[in-house]
Amino acid sequence: MLQIEKQYVQWQDNETPRRARWLSESNQTPPARIVLVDDQTTADEAYRLACEGTSMLWQGDFHNARQLLQALTRRLERTEQRKVSKAAKSNKPAAHTALIPNLFHQHRQAQAQRASVLSRLLLELEAGYVSRLRRAPEFSAACTAAFGELDEACLISFRDLQGALGAAQWREKGVPIASLELSVFPHYGVFAPTRHEYVQLMLDAQLPAAHDLAFDIGTGTGLLAIILAKRGVKQVIATDLNPRALACARDNIERLQLPAIAVQQADLFPTEPPLANLIVCNPPWLPAKPSSALEYAVYDANSAMLRGFLQGVAQHLSPQGQVWLILSDLAEHLQLRSREDLLGWFVESGLEVKYRLDTQPKHGRSQDNTDPLFAARSAEVTSLWCLQPKA
Ligand SMILES: C[S@@+](CC[C@H](N)C(=O)[O-])C[C@H]1O[C@@H](n2cnc3c(N)ncnc32)[C@H](O)[C@@H]1O
């Protein structure tokens, strides 16, 4: 995981030098240049400043800051759209297969550029995440839940603040998992199972005859461990590296009163338990470098988690045990990993495929033909690979 050190920023407030803690969960570097802006600042002016790399500390009405951020987003989208139209007019074959890895890298670059521009609008918060802005709501509970206690003033981007407020709503209302007739409650910075096509795969796969002990590696909200416990596995050990995920999984397990599940912080496998009959894992699906702690559940640099899992799993499995690996083939469609790579890693790990269950995602982006990655997303298949030690 990325270790974030305390960082501070300085700026001038009408000749008065000011200093505050820099808070950026999206890993934006502390701003080098800060100007004060307010309700009189036009969206065009703010957009120009943000694109030049100047950060803007908001002094006006809280709700107007939200509107300004929306106006910046619209301008950014128009600029992105113009670039796409220009590429289309110049007859560049945007979705040609040979260009697909570039397409993914361009997509990530565009995301990074968008994050950098939209993170230029800043708020100053006093200790305990209190804002003195006109019409500012109370958000210290949401910020404390997301970022932890803070006993000093900070500067934070309005975008990161919105992330914390959005997460607080998810945490309160939960993500309904219809096929299980329950909801899971994601915490800030924890993989939210909003597209849960793999839940049905987990319900359809046949449990091994002996299923006293299972591991859920990289448990996130605890969802897979919860499914196993609900299906009658007597004891489940769920691991994660991310402390936020561990707290979240514990919270969900407690809400559902499932004493069969124990949560452990571990890099992959639990420490020194007996061998498991079943080991499940839903690793991050895309081999790419995470740019902030928030991306560790989605991107796995060089498939390190996937490969580490496959390399170690047989040592933790009973001779008749099974591995259920949940993986989409999006990385294959984006030419970031090949099917041969994956099958080769199974063989190197002493595993063979017992069977595979497939499903096709139906989430919004897989149907959106304006998405630059539409060709890959619309062809994506999510699988549960049932693996066993090679006979
Ligand atoms: C795609 S999310 C899956 C979460 C959950 N199992 C689910 O299916 O909804 C991957 C999870 O793996 C965790 N993770 C990543 N690397 C890990 C490692 N080396 N050891 C344990 N957990 C890890 C991440 O923190 C994240 O919670």
Side-chain angles (χ1 to χ4, degrees), residues 1 184 189-196 198 202 216-225 239-243 245-246 264-269 280-285 293 296-300 304-306 309 326:
M1 303 288 286
V184 290
V190 178
F191 182 81
T194 46
R195 50 173 283 198
H196 40 251
Y198 55 87
M202 287 284 299
D216 171 16
I217 307 302
T219 195
T221 55
L223 178 59
L224 303 189
T239 70
D240 210 291
L241 260 185
N242 177 358
L246 298 164
Q264 254 189 39
Q265 181 159 30
D267 184 355
L268 298 171
F269 302 100
V280 302
C281 181
N282 176 15
W285 289 347
Y296 270 80
V298 186
Y299 297 123
D300 180 20
M305 182 195 176
L306 172 62
F309 171 76
I326 308 278

